[in-house]
Amino acid sequence: MSDERFILKNARHLAARYMEDILREGDVAVDATMGNGGDTAFLCKLVGETGHVYAFDVQQEALDRTAARLEEAGMRSRATLILAGHETMRDHVPVSPRVVMFNLGWLPGAAHIVTTRTETTMRAVQAALELVQPDGFVSICVYPGHEEGTRERGALDDGVYDAMAQEYLNIRKKPPLLIAVTKR
Ligand code: SAH
């Protein structure tokens, strides 16, 4: 038993926990929002040498940062980095992944102009749900602290799949929440 059992973790930690539970060596995973590559590297580690990660971002900067990070960790060959919107996922991911991971919002440490957008996010989540294996799942970290994040959160409420939101009730601070979605 871990001492950490009763500590409330934030949405990103919860998503990571689910990934650790579900991903096995040799699996295929998708990182729908590469950013600085933190999640891409984490997924690469979990799928191991025989697995593969497809990662998306619309900013070249994100691909560069992620490539450097993977290179440094000796895992560059485990990932395909794609400069395209995650809503085009169907065109780029040739196999059915076990998981698709979204971390919405903007690139940490860059201009806040390029944020994920509700309309494309919803198309991407739909594509992700079609693509994932029947026993797989989709995780979405949503940030209702900004306007577009609030819209994304509202849109995700209407999904036709089994979706569970885990969020702090400290509404005033609007902390990120995790939405975990499985196929019905
Ligand atoms: N997971 C990252 C953080 C992601 S931040 C990390 O661990 O560091 C969200 C990212 O989504 C930004 O880099 C932004 O450029 C990207 N983004 C915005 N719109 C997108 C789209 N339509 N498809 C894919 N990525 C998008």
Side-chain angles (χ1 to χ4, degrees), residues 84-99:
H86 40 218
E87 62 279 7
T88 67
M89 200 180 294
R90 284 188 198 86
D91 304 332
H92 297 280
V93 182
V95 287
S96 176
R98 174 94 58 195
V99 299

Side-chain angles (χ1 to χ4, degrees), residues 4 10 20-21 23 47 54 67 73 127 156 169:
E4 292 182 89
N10 66 27
E20 282 170 350
D21 271 1
L23 277 177
V47 300
Y54 294 88
L156 285 162
L169 291 179

Side-chain angles (χ1 to χ4, degrees), residues 19 29-37 39-40 43 53-59 62-63 66 80-89 93 97 99-105 115-117 120-121 123-129 131 137-141:
M19 294 301 162
V30 173
D31 182 354
T33 46
M34 205 181 310
N36 289 323
D39 294 331
T40 309
L43 293 171
V53 176
Y54 294 88
F56 291 84
D57 208 291
V58 290
Q59 300 191 74
L63 271 75
T66 302
T80 302
L81 309 183
I82 300 150
L83 182 64
H86 40 218
E87 62 279 7
T88 67
M89 200 180 294
V93 182
V99 299
V100 180
M101 192 175 198
F102 288 84
N103 186 15
L104 304 179
T115 176
T116 55
R117 306 238 154 250
T120 41
T121 299
R123 271 160 50 204
V125 170
Q126 188 64 45
L129 283 162
L131 276 176
F137 99 114
V138 178
S139 79
I140 311 153
C141 277

Side-chain angles (χ1 to χ4, degrees), residues 33-176:
T33 46
M34 205 181 310
N36 289 323
D39 294 331
T40 309
F42 174 70
L43 293 171
C44 281
K45 211 150 91 188
L46 292 178
V47 300
E49 286 205 28
T50 55
H52 203 74
V53 176
Y54 294 88
F56 291 84
D57 208 291
V58 290
Q59 300 191 74
Q60 182 62 45
E61 200 180 341
L63 271 75
D64 295 344
R65 289 186 199 176
T66 302
R69 186 174 197 141
L70 294 178
E71 202 74 65
E72 204 168 299
M75 300 192 296
R76 182 63 189 85
S77 63
R78 295 185 197 180
T80 302
L81 309 183
I82 300 150
L83 182 64
H86 40 218
E87 62 279 7
T88 67
M89 200 180 294
R90 284 188 198 86
D91 304 332
H92 297 280
V93 182
V95 287
S96 176
R98 174 94 58 195
V99 299
V100 180
M101 192 175 198
F102 288 84
N103 186 15
L104 304 179
W106 49 68
L107 180 64
H112 288 185
I113 324 160
V114 189
T115 176
T116 55
R117 306 238 154 250
T118 306
E119 199 249 328
T120 41
T121 299
M122 292 313 293
R123 271 160 50 204
V125 170
Q126 188 64 45
L129 283 162
E130 282 164 25
L131 276 176
V132 282
Q133 292 175 12
D135 61 345
F137 99 114
V138 178
S139 79
I140 311 153
C141 277
V142 194
Y143 298 78
H146 68 112
E147 223 176 276
E148 195 60 23
T150 305
R151 265 200 293 279
E152 284 172 318
R153 194 233 182 288
L156 285 162
D157 263 351
D158 300 329
V160 291
Y161 293 83
D162 289 335
M164 176 183 271
Q166 292 176 272
E167 61 184 316
Y168 290 101
L169 291 179
N170 309 56
I171 306 292
R172 202 168 44 89
K173 280 167 64 185
K174 298 203 172 147

